[in-house]
Amino acid sequence: AILPEYLPKTFELLSGIILPSLKDEDFNTEKQVILEEIGMYDDLPGFTVYEQAMAAHFHGHPLGQSILGTPESITALSAVQMRDYHAEQYRAGNIILAVAGNTSWEEILKLVHKNNKTRANEPLSKLMQAPGRFESFSREFDGMLLDFTRTQLDEDAMGLLLALAEKRGLSTARAALFGGEKVNITEARPAMHMALRSRELGASLPTEEFNAMREAGDRMLELAEPLHHGRLPSDPETRIRNIVHVGIGGSLLGTRLLCEALGPGGPDTPTVHFLGSVDAHSRELLLPELDASETLVILVSKSFTTSDTLLHGSRIRQWLIDEVGPQAARQRLYAVTGEQERAIEAGVPAEHVLHLPEWVGGRYSLWSPVSLAAAAVASPTAFRELARGAAELDRHFLEAPAADNLPVLM
Protein backbone atom coordinates (compact mmCIF):
# COMPACT_ATOMS: atom_id res chain seq x y z
CA ALA A 1 0.00 0.00 0.00
CA ILE A 2 1.06 3.59 -0.59
CA LEU A 3 2.08 5.61 2.47
CA PRO A 4 -1.11 6.89 4.18
CA GLU A 5 0.22 10.41 4.66
CA TYR A 6 0.05 10.90 0.89
CA LEU A 7 -3.71 10.39 0.76
CA PRO A 8 -4.94 13.74 2.06
CA LYS A 9 -2.87 15.69 -0.43
CA THR A 10 -4.03 13.38 -3.17
CA PHE A 11 -7.67 14.08 -2.52
CA GLU A 12 -7.07 17.76 -2.21
CA LEU A 13 -5.68 17.63 -5.72
CA LEU A 14 -8.41 15.39 -7.07
CA SER A 15 -11.21 17.50 -5.69
CA GLY A 16 -9.52 20.84 -6.26
CA ILE A 17 -12.59 22.60 -7.65
CA ILE A 18 -14.97 21.13 -5.07
CA LEU A 19 -13.17 21.13 -1.73
CA PRO A 20 -9.89 22.94 -2.41
CA SER A 21 -9.20 23.68 1.24
CA LEU A 22 -9.47 20.13 2.57
CA LYS A 23 -7.51 19.81 5.82
CA ASP A 24 -5.53 16.73 6.82
CA GLU A 25 -7.49 16.33 10.04
CA ASP A 26 -10.75 16.33 8.10
CA PHE A 27 -9.62 13.63 5.71
CA ASN A 28 -11.04 10.52 7.36
CA THR A 29 -14.48 12.05 7.79
CA GLU A 30 -14.56 13.98 4.56
CA LYS A 31 -13.30 11.42 2.03
CA GLN A 32 -16.78 9.95 1.63
CA VAL A 33 -18.19 13.43 1.18
CA ILE A 34 -15.67 14.12 -1.56
CA LEU A 35 -16.61 11.01 -3.46
CA GLU A 36 -20.32 11.70 -3.06
CA GLU A 37 -19.81 15.26 -4.27
CA ILE A 38 -18.31 14.04 -7.52
CA GLY A 39 -21.05 11.44 -7.89
CA MET A 40 -18.80 8.41 -7.64
CA TYR A 41 -19.24 6.82 -4.24
CA ASP A 42 -21.78 4.21 -5.32
CA ASP A 43 -19.63 3.31 -8.30
CA LEU A 44 -16.45 2.89 -6.27
CA PRO A 45 -17.00 0.10 -3.73
CA GLY A 46 -13.23 -0.31 -3.56
CA PHE A 47 -12.46 3.38 -3.25
CA THR A 48 -9.71 2.84 -0.66
CA VAL A 49 -7.70 0.97 -3.26
CA TYR A 50 -8.42 3.74 -5.69
CA GLU A 51 -7.27 6.38 -3.23
CA GLN A 52 -3.97 4.66 -2.70
CA ALA A 53 -3.44 4.13 -6.38
CA MET A 54 -4.09 7.78 -7.11
CA ALA A 55 -1.67 8.69 -4.35
CA ALA A 56 0.97 6.66 -6.13
CA HIS A 57 0.22 8.61 -9.27
CA PHE A 58 0.51 12.04 -7.70
CA HIS A 59 3.64 11.21 -5.84
CA GLY A 60 5.81 10.28 -8.73
CA HIS A 61 5.19 6.67 -9.71
CA PRO A 62 6.62 6.44 -13.27
CA LEU A 63 3.59 4.65 -14.70
CA GLY A 64 1.13 7.10 -13.17
CA GLN A 65 1.28 10.13 -15.38
CA SER A 66 1.50 8.12 -18.59
CA ILE A 67 -1.91 6.66 -17.75
CA LEU A 68 -3.63 9.37 -15.76
CA GLY A 69 -2.18 12.65 -16.92
CA THR A 70 -0.52 15.31 -14.78
CA PRO A 71 -1.93 16.75 -11.53
CA GLU A 72 -2.29 20.10 -13.28
CA SER A 73 -4.38 18.64 -16.09
CA ILE A 74 -6.66 16.86 -13.64
CA THR A 75 -7.25 19.75 -11.24
CA ALA A 76 -8.24 21.91 -14.22
CA LEU A 77 -11.25 19.71 -14.95
CA SER A 78 -14.80 20.89 -14.39
CA ALA A 79 -17.05 18.99 -11.99
CA VAL A 80 -18.71 17.12 -14.84
CA GLN A 81 -15.39 16.33 -16.47
CA MET A 82 -14.02 15.09 -13.18
CA ARG A 83 -16.93 12.69 -12.75
CA ASP A 84 -16.19 11.26 -16.18
CA TYR A 85 -12.50 11.19 -15.39
CA HIS A 86 -13.02 9.19 -12.23
CA ALA A 87 -15.32 6.73 -13.94
CA GLU A 88 -12.86 6.10 -16.76
CA GLN A 89 -9.71 5.96 -14.63
CA TYR A 90 -10.80 3.70 -11.79
CA ARG A 91 -9.27 0.73 -13.64
CA ALA A 92 -6.08 2.69 -14.22
CA GLY A 93 -5.86 3.36 -10.49
CA ASN A 94 -5.88 -0.34 -9.81
CA ILE A 95 -3.16 -0.83 -12.38
CA ILE A 96 -0.87 1.71 -10.71
CA LEU A 97 -1.50 0.10 -7.36
CA ALA A 98 -0.63 -3.29 -8.88
CA VAL A 99 2.71 -1.89 -9.99
CA ALA A 100 3.51 0.20 -6.94
CA GLY A 101 2.12 -2.06 -4.23
CA ASN A 102 2.55 -5.63 -3.12
CA THR A 103 0.08 -7.22 -5.51
CA SER A 104 1.14 -10.74 -6.52
CA TRP A 105 1.76 -11.66 -10.14
CA GLU A 106 -1.24 -14.00 -9.98
CA GLU A 107 -3.50 -11.08 -9.08
CA ILE A 108 -2.03 -8.96 -11.85
CA LEU A 109 -2.63 -11.79 -14.30
CA LYS A 110 -6.27 -11.87 -13.22
CA LEU A 111 -6.48 -8.16 -13.99
CA VAL A 112 -4.93 -8.82 -17.42
CA HIS A 113 -7.59 -11.45 -18.15
CA LYS A 114 -10.34 -9.18 -16.88
CA ASN A 115 -9.13 -6.37 -19.09
CA ASN A 116 -8.92 -8.69 -22.09
CA LYS A 117 -12.48 -9.80 -21.51
CA THR A 118 -13.65 -6.20 -21.20
CA ARG A 119 -11.96 -5.20 -24.44
CA ALA A 120 -12.72 -8.36 -26.41
CA ASN A 121 -15.62 -6.90 -28.36
CA GLU A 122 -14.22 -3.41 -28.73
CA PRO A 123 -13.36 -2.65 -32.35
CA LEU A 124 -9.75 -1.81 -33.08
CA SER A 125 -10.94 1.27 -34.95
CA LYS A 126 -12.10 2.76 -31.65
CA LEU A 127 -8.68 2.29 -30.10
CA MET A 128 -7.03 3.73 -33.20
CA GLN A 129 -9.10 6.91 -32.87
CA ALA A 130 -7.97 7.59 -29.32
CA PRO A 131 -5.98 10.85 -29.02
CA GLY A 132 -2.25 10.24 -28.93
CA ARG A 133 -2.60 6.59 -29.96
CA PHE A 134 0.56 6.57 -32.08
CA GLU A 135 2.63 8.41 -29.49
CA SER A 136 1.54 6.02 -26.74
CA PHE A 137 1.83 2.80 -28.75
CA SER A 138 5.02 3.23 -30.72
CA ARG A 139 8.66 3.41 -29.75
CA GLU A 140 11.81 4.23 -31.71
CA PHE A 141 15.44 3.32 -31.18
CA ASP A 142 18.45 3.93 -33.41
CA GLY A 143 16.36 4.28 -36.57
CA MET A 144 14.07 1.32 -35.80
CA LEU A 145 10.37 1.97 -35.28
CA LEU A 146 8.17 -0.41 -33.30
CA ASP A 147 4.55 0.44 -34.14
CA PHE A 148 2.04 -1.51 -32.09
CA THR A 149 -0.90 0.82 -32.53
CA ARG A 150 -2.83 -1.88 -34.38
CA THR A 151 -2.97 -4.26 -31.47
CA GLN A 152 -5.91 -4.84 -29.16
CA LEU A 153 -4.04 -3.11 -26.35
CA ASP A 154 -5.04 -0.08 -24.37
CA GLU A 155 -3.19 1.86 -21.67
CA ASP A 156 -4.60 -0.43 -18.98
CA ALA A 157 -3.35 -3.57 -20.69
CA MET A 158 0.11 -2.12 -21.30
CA GLY A 159 0.47 -1.07 -17.69
CA LEU A 160 -0.62 -4.48 -16.46
CA LEU A 161 1.66 -6.37 -18.83
CA LEU A 162 4.66 -4.29 -17.80
CA ALA A 163 3.78 -4.86 -14.15
CA LEU A 164 3.42 -8.58 -14.78
CA ALA A 165 6.81 -8.74 -16.51
CA GLU A 166 8.50 -7.12 -13.54
CA LYS A 167 6.67 -9.23 -10.96
CA ARG A 168 7.70 -12.38 -12.84
CA GLY A 169 11.35 -11.41 -12.60
CA LEU A 170 12.21 -9.95 -15.99
CA SER A 171 15.04 -7.80 -14.61
CA THR A 172 16.53 -10.71 -12.68
CA ALA A 173 16.32 -13.06 -15.65
CA ARG A 174 17.92 -10.49 -17.95
CA ALA A 175 20.80 -10.00 -15.53
CA ALA A 176 21.29 -13.77 -15.36
CA LEU A 177 21.37 -14.01 -19.16
CA PHE A 178 24.00 -11.30 -19.59
CA GLY A 179 25.90 -12.49 -16.54
CA GLY A 180 26.68 -15.85 -18.13
CA GLU A 181 24.52 -17.93 -15.81
CA LYS A 182 23.22 -21.29 -17.03
CA VAL A 183 19.90 -20.07 -18.37
CA ASN A 184 19.73 -22.86 -20.97
CA ILE A 185 18.25 -25.31 -18.48
CA THR A 186 17.89 -28.23 -20.89
CA GLU A 187 21.64 -28.32 -21.59
CA ALA A 188 22.79 -26.63 -18.34
CA ARG A 189 24.68 -23.98 -20.31
CA PRO A 190 24.82 -20.20 -20.57
CA ALA A 191 23.33 -18.53 -23.64
CA MET A 192 25.99 -15.93 -24.32
CA HIS A 193 25.52 -15.36 -28.05
CA MET A 194 25.45 -11.60 -27.28
CA ALA A 195 29.23 -11.85 -26.78
CA LEU A 196 29.56 -12.67 -30.48
CA ARG A 197 28.08 -9.26 -31.27
CA SER A 198 30.12 -7.27 -28.77
CA ARG A 199 33.22 -8.58 -27.07
CA GLU A 200 32.72 -6.29 -24.10
CA LEU A 201 29.56 -8.29 -23.35
CA GLY A 202 31.71 -11.41 -23.11
CA ALA A 203 33.52 -10.17 -20.02
CA SER A 204 31.89 -12.85 -17.87
CA LEU A 205 33.25 -15.68 -20.03
CA PRO A 206 36.27 -17.70 -18.89
CA THR A 207 39.43 -16.38 -20.53
CA GLU A 208 40.05 -19.50 -22.60
CA GLU A 209 36.52 -19.49 -24.03
CA PHE A 210 36.67 -15.76 -24.72
CA ASN A 211 39.96 -16.11 -26.60
CA ALA A 212 38.66 -19.06 -28.66
CA MET A 213 35.55 -17.05 -29.59
CA ARG A 214 37.61 -14.00 -30.53
CA GLU A 215 40.08 -15.95 -32.65
CA ALA A 216 37.31 -17.79 -34.53
CA GLY A 217 35.49 -14.52 -35.25
CA ASP A 218 38.65 -12.87 -36.52
CA ARG A 219 39.47 -15.90 -38.64
CA MET A 220 35.99 -15.92 -40.19
CA LEU A 221 36.32 -12.30 -41.33
CA GLU A 222 39.84 -12.94 -42.54
CA LEU A 223 38.53 -15.75 -44.78
CA ALA A 224 35.50 -13.72 -45.87
CA GLU A 225 37.64 -10.94 -47.35
CA PRO A 226 39.12 -12.88 -50.32
CA LEU A 227 35.88 -14.83 -50.74
CA HIS A 228 33.94 -11.58 -51.09
CA HIS A 229 36.12 -10.83 -54.11
CA GLY A 230 35.72 -14.33 -55.48
CA ARG A 231 39.11 -15.68 -54.44
CA LEU A 232 40.13 -18.88 -52.66
CA PRO A 233 41.57 -17.86 -49.23
CA SER A 234 44.55 -20.22 -49.45
CA ASP A 235 45.33 -19.24 -53.07
CA PRO A 236 44.23 -15.75 -54.16
CA GLU A 237 44.97 -16.63 -57.78
CA THR A 238 42.20 -19.24 -57.79
CA ARG A 239 38.68 -18.10 -58.66
CA ILE A 240 35.73 -19.08 -56.45
CA ARG A 241 32.31 -18.64 -58.00
CA ASN A 242 30.21 -20.85 -55.69
CA ILE A 243 29.97 -21.59 -51.98
CA VAL A 244 28.02 -24.62 -50.79
CA HIS A 245 26.83 -24.23 -47.19
CA VAL A 246 25.78 -27.54 -45.61
CA GLY A 247 23.83 -27.55 -42.35
CA ILE A 248 20.41 -28.07 -40.88
CA GLY A 249 18.08 -25.95 -38.75
CA GLY A 250 19.91 -23.19 -36.92
CA SER A 251 23.16 -24.17 -38.63
CA LEU A 252 21.68 -23.00 -41.92
CA LEU A 253 18.62 -20.77 -41.49
CA GLY A 254 20.31 -17.70 -40.03
CA THR A 255 23.02 -17.67 -42.67
CA ARG A 256 20.48 -18.09 -45.45
CA LEU A 257 18.40 -15.25 -44.00
CA LEU A 258 21.41 -12.94 -44.05
CA CYS A 259 22.36 -13.89 -47.59
CA GLU A 260 18.83 -13.19 -48.78
CA ALA A 261 18.49 -9.96 -46.81
CA LEU A 262 21.89 -8.47 -47.66
CA GLY A 263 21.72 -9.14 -51.36
CA PRO A 264 23.99 -10.78 -53.92
CA GLY A 265 27.17 -8.86 -53.01
CA GLY A 266 29.60 -7.45 -55.56
CA PRO A 267 30.25 -8.50 -59.17
CA ASP A 268 32.84 -11.12 -58.14
CA THR A 269 31.06 -12.40 -55.01
CA PRO A 270 30.32 -16.12 -55.14
CA THR A 271 26.79 -17.49 -55.27
CA VAL A 272 25.83 -19.34 -52.09
CA HIS A 273 23.93 -22.63 -52.31
CA PHE A 274 22.33 -24.24 -49.23
CA LEU A 275 21.89 -27.94 -48.55
CA GLY A 276 19.81 -28.65 -45.47
CA SER A 277 17.75 -31.77 -46.12
CA VAL A 278 18.99 -35.35 -45.96
CA ASP A 279 17.21 -35.88 -49.27
CA ALA A 280 19.96 -36.47 -51.85
CA HIS A 281 17.85 -35.09 -54.69
CA SER A 282 18.81 -31.44 -54.12
CA ARG A 283 22.50 -32.33 -53.87
CA GLU A 284 22.47 -34.48 -56.99
CA LEU A 285 20.79 -31.68 -58.92
CA LEU A 286 23.23 -29.06 -57.66
CA LEU A 287 26.68 -30.64 -58.07
CA PRO A 288 26.52 -31.21 -61.87
CA GLU A 289 25.85 -27.48 -62.22
CA LEU A 290 29.03 -26.52 -60.36
CA ASP A 291 32.68 -26.45 -61.36
CA ALA A 292 34.48 -28.11 -58.44
CA SER A 293 37.62 -26.05 -59.08
CA GLU A 294 35.57 -22.88 -58.46
CA THR A 295 33.60 -24.18 -55.46
CA LEU A 296 34.21 -23.87 -51.71
CA VAL A 297 32.27 -26.06 -49.22
CA ILE A 298 31.39 -25.20 -45.60
CA LEU A 299 30.09 -27.95 -43.28
CA VAL A 300 28.28 -26.64 -40.20
CA SER A 301 27.40 -28.73 -37.15
CA LYS A 302 28.12 -27.84 -33.52
CA SER A 303 28.44 -31.49 -32.49
CA PHE A 304 29.61 -32.72 -35.89
CA THR A 305 27.35 -35.72 -35.41
CA THR A 306 24.35 -34.43 -37.40
CA SER A 307 23.62 -37.26 -39.81
CA ASP A 308 22.17 -35.07 -42.58
CA THR A 309 25.19 -32.78 -42.60
CA LEU A 310 27.73 -35.60 -42.41
CA LEU A 311 26.10 -37.54 -45.25
CA HIS A 312 26.09 -34.49 -47.54
CA GLY A 313 29.63 -33.67 -46.45
CA SER A 314 30.94 -37.13 -47.23
CA ARG A 315 29.40 -37.15 -50.71
CA ILE A 316 30.53 -33.62 -51.55
CA ARG A 317 34.06 -34.26 -50.29
CA GLN A 318 34.30 -37.31 -52.54
CA TRP A 319 32.96 -35.27 -55.44
CA LEU A 320 35.70 -32.66 -54.87
CA ILE A 321 38.39 -35.35 -54.72
CA ASP A 322 37.12 -36.96 -57.90
CA GLU A 323 36.99 -33.64 -59.75
CA VAL A 324 40.12 -31.78 -58.56
CA GLY A 325 42.19 -34.29 -56.59
CA PRO A 326 42.82 -34.74 -52.83
CA GLN A 327 45.06 -31.71 -52.28
CA ALA A 328 42.82 -29.22 -54.10
CA ALA A 329 39.78 -30.76 -52.38
CA ARG A 330 41.35 -30.03 -48.97
CA GLN A 331 41.87 -26.40 -49.96
CA ARG A 332 38.16 -26.06 -50.68
CA LEU A 333 36.69 -27.79 -47.58
CA TYR A 334 35.88 -25.89 -44.34
CA ALA A 335 33.94 -26.71 -41.17
CA VAL A 336 32.32 -24.75 -38.34
CA THR A 337 31.90 -26.86 -35.19
CA GLY A 338 32.51 -27.17 -31.48
CA GLU A 339 34.17 -30.56 -32.05
CA GLN A 340 37.34 -29.93 -34.04
CA GLU A 341 38.67 -33.50 -33.82
CA ARG A 342 35.54 -34.94 -35.39
CA ALA A 343 35.79 -32.51 -38.29
CA ILE A 344 39.44 -33.43 -38.83
CA GLU A 345 38.53 -37.13 -38.80
CA ALA A 346 35.98 -36.37 -41.53
CA GLY A 347 38.73 -34.97 -43.76
CA VAL A 348 38.63 -31.25 -42.97
CA PRO A 349 42.10 -29.70 -42.53
CA ALA A 350 42.66 -28.53 -38.93
CA GLU A 351 43.42 -25.00 -40.08
CA HIS A 352 40.05 -24.90 -41.87
CA VAL A 353 37.99 -25.71 -38.75
CA LEU A 354 36.36 -22.66 -37.15
CA HIS A 355 35.34 -22.88 -33.51
CA LEU A 356 31.66 -22.69 -32.54
CA PRO A 357 31.21 -22.22 -28.76
CA GLU A 358 28.92 -24.67 -26.99
CA TRP A 359 26.95 -21.81 -25.43
CA VAL A 360 25.76 -20.59 -28.84
CA GLY A 361 22.35 -22.03 -29.66
CA GLY A 362 21.62 -22.85 -33.28
CA ARG A 363 19.00 -20.17 -33.72
CA TYR A 364 21.47 -17.51 -32.55
CA SER A 365 24.49 -18.79 -34.40
CA LEU A 366 24.27 -16.41 -37.34
CA TRP A 367 26.56 -14.05 -35.37
CA SER A 368 29.26 -16.73 -35.24
CA PRO A 369 31.54 -18.30 -37.89
CA VAL A 370 28.44 -20.23 -38.98
CA SER A 371 27.81 -17.15 -41.14
CA LEU A 372 31.09 -17.32 -43.04
CA ALA A 373 29.15 -17.51 -46.31
CA ALA A 374 27.01 -14.49 -45.35
CA ALA A 375 30.10 -12.47 -44.41
CA ALA A 376 31.60 -13.40 -47.77
CA VAL A 377 28.50 -12.17 -49.58
CA ALA A 378 27.98 -8.95 -47.63
CA SER A 379 31.70 -8.21 -46.98
CA PRO A 380 33.50 -8.29 -43.64
CA THR A 381 32.86 -4.57 -43.19
CA ALA A 382 29.10 -5.01 -43.59
CA PHE A 383 29.10 -7.99 -41.22
CA ARG A 384 30.89 -5.93 -38.56
CA GLU A 385 28.30 -3.18 -38.97
CA LEU A 386 25.53 -5.74 -38.61
CA ALA A 387 27.07 -6.97 -35.36
CA ARG A 388 27.54 -3.40 -34.14
CA GLY A 389 23.87 -2.64 -34.67
CA ALA A 390 22.85 -5.80 -32.84
CA ALA A 391 25.17 -4.91 -29.95
CA GLU A 392 23.52 -1.49 -29.70
CA LEU A 393 20.16 -3.20 -29.34
CA ASP A 394 21.64 -5.51 -26.70
CA ARG A 395 22.66 -2.44 -24.71
CA HIS A 396 19.23 -0.90 -25.22
CA PHE A 397 17.67 -4.12 -23.88
CA LEU A 398 19.94 -3.92 -20.83
CA GLU A 399 19.49 -0.24 -20.04
CA ALA A 400 16.19 1.15 -21.35
CA PRO A 401 13.14 1.36 -19.05
CA ALA A 402 10.67 -1.44 -19.69
CA ALA A 403 8.02 0.93 -21.08
CA ASP A 404 10.47 2.11 -23.77
CA ASN A 405 12.38 -1.13 -24.29
CA LEU A 406 11.80 -2.58 -27.76
CA PRO A 407 12.68 -6.22 -26.95
CA VAL A 408 10.56 -6.12 -23.79
CA LEU A 409 7.58 -4.62 -25.60
CA MET A 410 7.84 -7.16 -28.41
Side-chain angles (χ1 to χ4, degrees), residues 141 170-171 173-175 177-178 194 197 390-402 404-409:
F141 172 73
L170 171 64
S171 297
R174 179 173 53 198
L177 173 68
F178 281 86
M194 307 81 64
R197 306 191 278 248
E392 286 298 315
L393 194 58
D394 285 331
R395 280 185 278 273
H396 169 76
F397 178 45
L398 271 172
E399 298 168 2
D404 299 316
N405 195 306
L406 269 62
V408 172
L409 292 171

Side-chain angles (χ1 to χ4, degrees), residues 283-316:
R283 184 187 71 241
E284 296 307 310
L285 287 178
L286 173 64
L287 295 185
E289 300 297 319
L290 306 179
D291 182 338
S293 68
E294 297 179 339
T295 300
L296 183 134
V297 178
I298 306 168
L299 308 179
V300 182
S301 171
K302 185 160 68 172
S303 66
F304 225 75
T305 59
T306 310
S307 58
D308 309 49
T309 302
L310 296 185
L311 180 58
H312 281 313
S314 174
R315 298 291 192 271
I316 295 174

Side-chain angles (χ1 to χ4, degrees), residues 227-264:
L227 285 172
H228 180 65
H229 298 287
R231 300 297 169 182
L232 183 65
S234 61
D235 181 7
E237 299 301 317
T238 298
R239 190 80 169 87
I240 293 295
R241 300 183 188 276
N242 296 283
I243 296 174
V244 179
H245 178 112
V246 183
I248 193 167
S251 295
L252 177 146
L253 297 174
T255 305
R256 185 165 67 186
L257 171 67
L258 289 184
C259 288
E260 292 175 354
L262 300 178

